[in-house]
Amino acid sequence: MKEVFNLYLNSKQSIEGASTDPANLTFDLGSAHQNMPLLSQYTDLAYCYVKMSYMAIGHNANNLSTHSTILIEMNSPQPCGAKTQTAGSGLVSSNIIGLLPIPVLSNHFFSNRDTYENEFVKVSNIFKGLVNIKLKQEEGTQLSLLTSNNYEMLLRVYFDETC
């Protein structure tokens, strides 16, 4: 049986705090070792598997109504991920850990297993320090959000000891 770690992240509790654009925030996931003693057995592993299992974003997100999907990217390298970048070019490496479909004419966006189920992606061990999370448009450019567009997400993480 594998150990699955749950991480609840609130954009207002990022290193930058609640008074900044939540589309580009940093979280100290390395501090999880203090509260999750089972993590110590995975400290030296290079990779882990991350799944965004839930996400909700601000009630006043009308500035998102022109987009169909939000890409959630993490600055942890993915050895098994690729994406398209521009027309006529090949694939480039991907940092996408989740997708958030945006329903038409909605002013509160959320994703869970009932609306869309993201899968686990292999990334470098996220518990080795600071992790940056960016919210991007489906074209790959960073969203321009208001401070009222705060979000919360639940990440599920497990390790494969062969990594």
Side-chain angles (χ1 to χ4, degrees), residues 57-77:
I57 187 168
H59 292 283
N60 300 324
N62 294 328
N63 56 327
L64 300 176
S65 62
T66 60
H67 307 295
S68 63
T69 305
I70 296 175
L71 307 177
I72 296 91
E73 292 191 350
M74 183 181 282
N75 67 329
S76 296

Side-chain angles (χ1 to χ4, degrees), residues 27-55:
F27 297 88
D28 183 5
L29 300 187
S31 65
H33 289 276
Q34 301 167 26
N35 301 305
M36 301 166 108
L38 291 177
L39 271 178
S40 63
Q41 61 188 319
Y42 304 109
T43 301
D44 295 330
L45 293 180
Y47 295 99
C48 62
Y49 292 85
V50 174
K51 175 181 180 178
M52 188 195 76
S53 64
Y54 175 84
M55 182 171 183

Side-chain angles (χ1 to χ4, degrees), residues 56-144:
I57 187 168
H59 292 283
N60 300 324
N62 294 328
N63 56 327
L64 300 176
S65 62
T66 60
H67 307 295
S68 63
T69 305
I70 296 175
L71 307 177
I72 296 91
E73 292 191 350
M74 183 181 282
N75 67 329
S76 296
Q78 292 182 14
C80 303
K83 65 179 180 178
T84 57
Q85 183 171 338
T86 57
S89 68
L91 296 175
V92 297
S93 63
S94 171
N95 290 339
I96 298 171
I97 61 163
L99 302 173
L100 178 64
I102 299 176
V104 177
L105 300 174
S106 179
N107 64 359
H108 184 81
F109 310 115
F110 64 93
S111 177
N112 61 29
R113 288 187 305 222
D114 297 332
T115 57
Y116 181 81
E117 183 151 6
N118 287 289
E119 298 295 329
F120 281 98
V121 293
K122 186 175 185 176
V123 300
S124 62
N125 189 340
I126 64 172
F127 294 110
K128 292 193 176 204
L130 301 179
V131 170
N132 178 260
I133 295 180
K134 291 184 181 179
L135 306 182
K136 296 187 172 185
Q137 303 172 15
E138 57 270 12
E139 295 89 16
T141 56
Q142 186 170 303
L143 289 172
S144 177

